[in-house]
Amino acid sequence: MKRYFIYELLLFAAFISCSGDDNGNDVFNPPVATNDVKSGPCENGLAGGFYPCSGYDLISRISLAEMSAGTGNDSWGWTDPQNGKEYAVIGLDNGTAFIDISTPDSPIYLGKLPTATVNSPWGDVKVYQNHAFIVSEATNHGMQVFDLTRLRNVKNPPQTFNADVHFTDFGSAHNIVINEDSGFAYAVGTSRSGTYQGGPVFINIQDPKNPIAAGGFLSTGDRAYSHDAQAINYQGPDTDYIGKEILIGSNEIEVVIADITDKNNPITISTIKYTDVGYTHQGWFTENMRYFILGDETDEQGVGFNTRTIVFDFEDLDNPKFHMNYTGPTAAADHNGYIKGNTFYLANYRAGVRILDISDIGNKNMTEVGFFDTFPSSDSANFNGVWNVYPYFESGNIVISDIQAGFLLIRKSTL
């Protein structure tokens, strides 16, 4: 029996076999993923006459069928420093897809790096120094390293690629975190029976093709297992920790703040819980490192309220405080969220991508300013639709990876 929680098994069953009505009642029905809409501006509340939207256009789309995959999961992006070309990196149940989006309305599916072992619906990818680092819940998958500069000269796409490195110091992992400023990767969601009980495994990737095991972190909080995390070189308001490498772990029932500067002696700084916890899933610092925006993946199902986003005040890392809850306009469950400037981009499963203005977060104000919904049939709290959003391209192109719909590229409307 794998170590997944019951909800994770239900998640898999939900997104491969059923959808639901708008009251959240499950009904057997193949998920919506077969429409032929490839692009379209957001007009009269719909993009291409199909996707509900506000302020964001559909630039292009590549289906799972075109990538020979059953489901999609995580995503990231890469900009080639040599020529500025942009590429989407899309996690699939059977590997990782690479897509040239330098001509955004005519993306090119360049090919796939197959899974290192067996298929799994859960995978994750990040990019550092022109290399993709890929993990999966697949048994004994370890970490694949792929040199993205190989994408510059792909002839006769799509191709089947091989990994440049296969790092096997751990088996499966739910997620991978990279601190680009320190050159360390952190595999999270590894085996609960391992040395760190599912806590982050440290990997020195400063030389990307020569990853080196560098220990790990066993939290002294109530739960060691980290489902996701963020690691940064801290330059925030707490002067006690300026210059330190800080890791924020989303550890199932709580958030853990740790000083991981000394890889041989990582230290728990503090932990914080919150009310109506379902599953503490993923969070991200505001750019000034004052506030931490957290998503709980199952609280909408468990309690019954609309999408809840939790904000903590981390002005004092030794004494973190609850700051506010933001409540979204739909009942959908939330997944991954990322911040760029004063904008929060939330992968909101059946409600698509929601875009929030957080410029007045200090005064407890967060305002939705746009959205793009990839699952038009329902906004209920089930696990279909958008898994991840990548908003960091300078061009303004935004990558969506969708469990059923595959790859979508959107951009803020100009009219």
Side-chain angles (χ1 to χ4, degrees), residues 58-93:
L58 176 62
I59 306 304
S60 55
R61 177 181 165 229
I62 296 175
S63 70
L64 291 171
E66 292 172 273
M67 296 184 284
S68 301
T71 59
N73 49 65
D74 199 55
S75 55
W76 211 247
W78 176 59
T79 300
D80 189 338
Q82 187 177 87
N83 53 31
K85 291 178 68 172
E86 295 176 346
Y87 297 81
V89 185
I90 305 294
L92 305 168
D93 60 333

Side-chain angles (χ1 to χ4, degrees), residues 186-260:
Y186 304 93
V188 296
T190 56
S191 173
R192 294 178 192 271
S193 61
T195 303
Y196 306 107
Q197 299 178 20
V201 174
F202 302 163
I203 311 161
N204 183 331
I205 58 168
Q206 293 165 3
D207 178 357
K209 288 189 177 71
N210 184 33
I212 302 170
F217 175 54
L218 180 59
S219 170
T220 55
D222 289 338
R223 189 64 57 83
Y225 178 93
S226 286
H227 191 78
D228 207 334
Q230 184 183 16
I232 58 168
N233 285 6
Y234 186 76
Q235 299 296 329
D238 189 338
T239 56
D240 291 343
Y241 295 97
I242 289 177
K244 301 289 188 179
E245 186 170 11
I246 301 298
L247 182 139
I248 313 296
S250 295
N251 286 26
E252 299 188 303
I253 59 171
E254 64 186 354
V255 176
V256 175
I257 306 173
D259 180 349
I260 57 170

